[in-house]
Amino acid sequence: MHIEQASKQELKDLLADLYEEYDKLAELKLALDLTRGKPGAEQVALSDALDGILAGDFRAADGSDVRNYGGIDGLPEAKALFGSVLGTSPEETLVGGNSSLSLMYQVIDFAMNEGLRGEDSAWALNDTVKFLCPVPGYDRHFSICEYMHIEMLAVPMLDSGPDMDQAEAMVKADPDIKGIWCVPRFGNPTGSVYSDDTVERIARLPQIASDNFLVLWDNAYAVHSLYDDAPELASIAGYCRKHDTMDGVFQFGSTSKITFAGAGVAFIGSSERNLSTLKAHLAFQTIGPDKVNQLRHVRLLKDPETLAAHMAKHAALIRPRFEAVLEVLAKELGDTGMGEWTEPKGGYFISFDTRPGLAQEVVDLAGNIGVKLTPAGATFPYGRDEANRNIRLAPTFPSLEDVRASAKAFTVCVKLATVKQELAGRG
Amino acid sequence: MHIEQASKQELKDLLADLYEEYDKLAELKLALDLTRGKPGAEQVALSDALDGILAGDFRAADGSDVRNYGGIDGLPEAKALFGSVLGTSPEETLVGGNSSLSLMYQVIDFAMNEGLRGEDSAWALNDTVKFLCPVPGYDRHFSICEYMHIEMLAVPMLDSGPDMDQAEAMVKADPDIKGIWCVPRFGNPTGSVYSDDTVERIARLPQIASDNFLVLWDNAYAVHSLYDDAPELASIAGYCRKHDTMDGVFQFGSTSKITFAGAGVAFIGSSERNLSTLKAHLAFQTIGPDKVNQLRHVRLLKDPETLAAHMAKHAALIRPRFEAVLEVLAKELGDTGMGEWTEPKGGYFISFDTRPGLAQEVVDLAGNIGVKLTPAGATFPYGRDEANRNIRLAPTFPSLEDVRASAKAFTVCVKLATVKQELAGRG
């Protein structure tokens, strides 16, 4: 039954049923959690061989002893392997420590305060620095901007990626815009994959934007497809070469959702010129990354084929969790007009839109019966979802049974909030 | 023969012999290196068991799965173990990634730009920020200052540590002074250990200095003694508690010279208040440190007794190298008036002072016959050793044979430069 076609009496009856159902859920004293984009225990266990994999052989391919000091930008074989993920050559790749977020922070900190092209290029010389933020998006990106006093301008996400007509118009009109955040494949939270045309247009943004504009290309889910027929992402490095804009793009990736979430390896792809400038900056603050852990990762993941086989094991573990949520959503909310959601072919999230004005209430209702959801607004800059619609669902960490129970309880909360709203609207 | 007691003819004869000896060394085409304070291959091999030590058990003492996300300040058991090195409680300890230099940079960056006590406390609000730098000292400390535009004021090192009369007078007279660098035990490069009185006076510096003054206490060689009777270092945490100045001191340490130089664990000891503020800052730029590697370290090093036994193995490997250098120096340069040097009981360096004006020439002479020495001036802020005297010798990395050969060649260079200078002085 579509909510707009229901009679007032039908809605009242439904509301009574929903309250009853909600009260029963409350009695169960659930402790469920759909907030966290983190791998489950079985997933991290896929990489348990990392510990001990070196078997006493601590020599990198170039003969260097990875246990000792030396090398600010990572092992050659790690650059080759992770460059293959980003479509960059080893010379265009830097492999760092366990956190791509740190690498993003360091790049922005450097562009802001030191300047990638010398001190005259430092963004901080501008009174105002702005970033384009496709929404909904990743809250940690927005936090870095807030912390750095970078003003965030929302750009809507379409199925093909950010609305590029709008993005290009904004960038042309406003020289204070110095960057754009992108999660181009299986984006957080929508799961959408940028179209080839969008990737090419983003690769050209540095040409139409003001000087020292940077694309922050967080390809966190580059190899994280759930299905063999999941859409591929065009290579932004390829388009950058075509349009000579490699200096305007920093790609990021990590093994956080490939091996161990907290103990992986993060990497950057960019122009040789950018990396050389960045390395000089990093030399002031670190002796270099953990090369032992890099070597472990190379020994485990070996080459693109071995990496793909490893990722297929992850998919086998989390695909049923995604399908469980999507099944419940379709069964409970399909054709009801009570919400819309994405059906991602990879990544870690499902993005759910309530009818306008209800996200906060749904999150509260769920929280009150022990189902923790990502705070409403978290997927928007400044935590402000003006339409109060978007809720991010993260099904990977709980057990399949818990995922199913959470999704069911979630739909009860959605229905309850929506029916209340509809009844109130009819007066 | 003391150089000042030699006749001019004796000096001329000696010079001729030295040139001959120097030319013979040149013919050997040596490739020796005394520049690097890094452990040798046998030393890092002492910790090879790290890789594989977890044997499939990735649970921390609190039951958490170290493979997954979570925890910005390290594992509880790692805080306990490394807090014992710094004399801080687990609550006063933060355990991070592989680089204590990064932790130092982050603390200074935070104090400079954000302010440890809210934005009004940011050092950057001052036109000028200055640090006291005991000299000779560690070049990486000085690099951070230069990078952050912190003006460096030299304070002479005495056998007891920095000249505290001078340091206190400077701090009282100049409110722009916001910090002091200290390597309190087996300092780089002198090897000296601060006296108890010096430690207590440094713990009181925050009371007599201007607001938001910080002691940067880089206890890099806390457990790195070469002899059982090496001098102990008083606990600065103890004196801070006595004088209520824990907010004014950040202690740093790492396992870089305990386990793997590039793949260890770094840590901070400070007040709970400081750590709580710092953690909020770090949350913007990292998902947290590599807890798998922290757990490996706890399993290997276990407790202070096991750690001490491990360090005794390091001492057994590097003590002969130090003794070889000191033997050669004593034999070749003892009672000649051609130089003075430290005889450290721990750490990684021997500090050598030529007669004034000769350090650069000695380094050049050695370089020309294939003996690489740390650049003259490197141990001073801005690379400027006004007296042009100090040379840092690092004997741990080369083989014992190479260390001996390097030391011998070094003494030939010292003699050559000194005799030339003496002859020139006599006209």
Side-chain angles (χ1 to χ4, degrees), chain B residues 114-180:
Chain B
E114 305 295 321
L116 270 172
R117 306 276 162 264
E119 53 186 44
D120 290 346
S121 71
W123 293 342
L125 294 176
N126 285 43
D127 287 336
T128 311
V129 178
K130 301 175 187 170
F131 262 44
L132 297 184
C133 298
V135 291
Y138 178 36
D139 57 350
R140 292 275 208 164
H141 291 162
F142 306 151
S143 305
I144 292 181
C145 283
E146 275 204 78
Y147 189 73
M148 298 270 190
H149 308 290
I150 294 172
E151 193 179 321
M152 291 178 271
L153 306 174
V155 180
M157 280 291 287
L158 311 176
D159 284 345
S160 56
D163 182 331
M164 289 310 297
D165 290 343
Q166 191 171 326
E168 288 164 354
M170 291 169 84
V171 153
K172 278 179 195 162
D174 188 348
D176 289 342
I177 299 177
K178 293 297 178 195
I180 182 171

Side-chain angles (χ1 to χ4, degrees), chain B residues 171-238:
Chain B
V171 153
K172 278 179 195 162
D174 188 348
D176 289 342
I177 299 177
K178 293 297 178 195
I180 182 171
W181 282 114
C182 299
V183 186
R185 195 176 192 215
F186 312 129
N188 177 354
T190 63
S192 54
V193 180
Y194 291 13
S195 71
D196 293 4
D197 179 59
T198 297
V199 175
E200 179 160 19
R201 287 170 77 177
I202 289 177
R204 299 190 69 173
L205 276 183
Q207 290 178 329
I208 63 173
S210 61
D211 287 349
N212 307 310
F213 179 92
L214 287 186
V215 175
L216 283 302
W217 191 258
D218 182 4
N219 205 349
Y221 310 101
V223 292
H224 303 60
S225 52
L226 294 171
Y227 301 93
D228 289 344
D229 64 346
E232 296 294 332
L233 177 71
S235 164
I236 194 163

Side-chain angles (χ1 to χ4, degrees), chain A residues 54 56-71 75-77 289-293 295 299, chain B residues 36 38-48 259-263 397:
Chain A
L54 299 180
D57 176 8
F58 295 92
R59 293 277 159 194
D62 63 3
S64 64
D65 184 341
V66 296
R67 298 168 298 187
N68 223 318
Y69 290 123
L75 294 182
E77 55 265 58
D290 179 340
K291 302 189 301 295
V292 174
N293 207 34
L295 191 59
R299 298 260 172 95
Chain B
R36 309 182 60 186
K38 62 191 253 188
E42 291 169 290
Q43 285 182 268
V44 291
L46 294 173
S47 302
D48 279 359
T259 58
F260 293 162
F397 187 70

Side-chain angles (χ1 to χ4, degrees), chain A residues 294-355:
Chain A
Q294 292 189 4
L295 191 59
R296 285 192 190 102
H297 276 76
V298 172
R299 298 260 172 95
L300 183 77
L301 302 172
K302 290 187 180 76
D303 49 46
E305 295 69 38
T306 311
L307 172 58
H310 183 83
M311 293 313 294
K313 294 181 195 161
H314 279 284
L317 289 168
I318 61 179
R319 194 168 44 229
R321 290 171 165 82
F322 275 83
E323 290 177 350
V325 174
L326 293 173
E327 256 172 51
V328 171
L329 293 178
K331 175 161 177 274
E332 300 293 331
L333 300 176
D335 299 322
T336 64
M338 296 198 199
E340 295 163 12
W341 56 92
T342 59
E343 297 186 354
K345 301 292 183 193
Y348 268 62
F349 304 103
I350 294 165
S351 179
F352 187 93
D353 280 335
T354 64
R355 297 216 307 191

Side-chain angles (χ1 to χ4, degrees), chain A residues 5 54 79-80 89-90 121 125 155 185 189 241 251 314 325 378:
Chain A
Q5 283 146 14
L54 299 180
K79 292 187 205 175
S89 71
S121 70
L125 294 176
V155 180
R185 196 178 192 215
R241 283 190 196 97
Q251 297 190 66
H314 279 284
V325 174

Side-chain angles (χ1 to χ4, degrees), chain B residues 28-101:
Chain B
L28 294 178
K29 307 225 176 287
L30 300 171
L32 301 171
D33 192 334
L34 284 182
T35 64
R36 309 182 60 186
K38 62 191 253 188
E42 291 169 290
Q43 285 182 268
V44 291
L46 294 173
S47 302
D48 279 359
L50 275 178
D51 187 57
I53 200 167
L54 298 181
D57 176 8
F58 294 93
R59 293 276 159 194
D62 63 3
S64 64
D65 183 341
V66 297
R67 298 168 299 186
N68 223 318
Y69 290 122
I72 193 108
D73 56 353
L75 294 181
E77 55 264 58
K79 293 187 205 176
L81 175 59
F82 298 118
S84 78
V85 171
L86 300 178
T88 46
S89 70
E91 294 73 27
E92 294 164 335
T93 309
L94 176 149
V95 185
N98 71 326
S99 165
S100 60
L101 195 73

